[in-house]
Amino acid sequence: MLDLSFAAYFHGHLGPWLVLGYKVGIYAKEKLKASSPFDLKCVAYLPKMKPYTCSLDGIQVASGCTLGKLNVELVDSDESSIKFVFTNLRSNESLELKLKPEALDLLKGFEGKDLERAAEEVNRMEIWELMEITYHWRECG
């Protein structure tokens, strides 16, 4: 698995939104038991602007959902409804990770500050402190 330092290299710097994407990508890959980079699909509901979209680079590195494989999609959304929906295409399980309002406030509070320090703070947090997590099972057919 590629680590967070590779994600920072890939993205160009370490920042809190990159770390958020990396954390949700790792979590989804583990919880949905993806064994191949072709197993998962991610739909990200984000404002189509920086810094929100920085999370997509973390998702690509952590989950294997990439623009090149067309298994990551960006849906333009307002900041009050930021969420990431991962689906295991083999098992039909899905996982929705919705950014908590207090986590959005925290991330917005980092704007204009030391991004590496902000990234370290987000990295120390547990996924459940940042996201509301919902599991779904879809019937085949």
Side-chain angles (χ1 to χ4, degrees), residues 13-40:
H13 69 96
L14 186 62
W17 286 94
L18 174 74
V19 172
L20 177 73
Y22 185 82
K23 288 176 85 73
V24 299
I26 291 291
Y27 186 82
K29 187 175 180 179
E30 289 174 358
K31 292 298 178 188
L32 294 175
K33 297 177 177 73
S35 58
S36 158
F38 297 95
D39 286 353
L40 290 182

Side-chain angles (χ1 to χ4, degrees), residues 29-78:
K29 187 175 180 179
E30 289 174 358
K31 292 298 178 188
L32 294 175
K33 297 177 177 73
S35 58
S36 158
F38 297 95
D39 286 353
L40 290 182
K41 176 180 182 170
C42 175
V43 180
Y45 298 83
L46 302 164
K48 206 174 199 177
M49 64 178 141
K50 296 181 282 186
Y52 309 101
T53 54
C54 296
S55 61
L56 293 172
D57 284 348
I59 285 169
Q60 289 185 95
V61 170
S63 72
C65 296
T66 66
L67 293 171
K69 291 195 301 290
L70 298 176
N71 60 347
V72 66
E73 177 185 347
L74 171 60
V75 175
D76 196 12
S77 177
D78 64 68

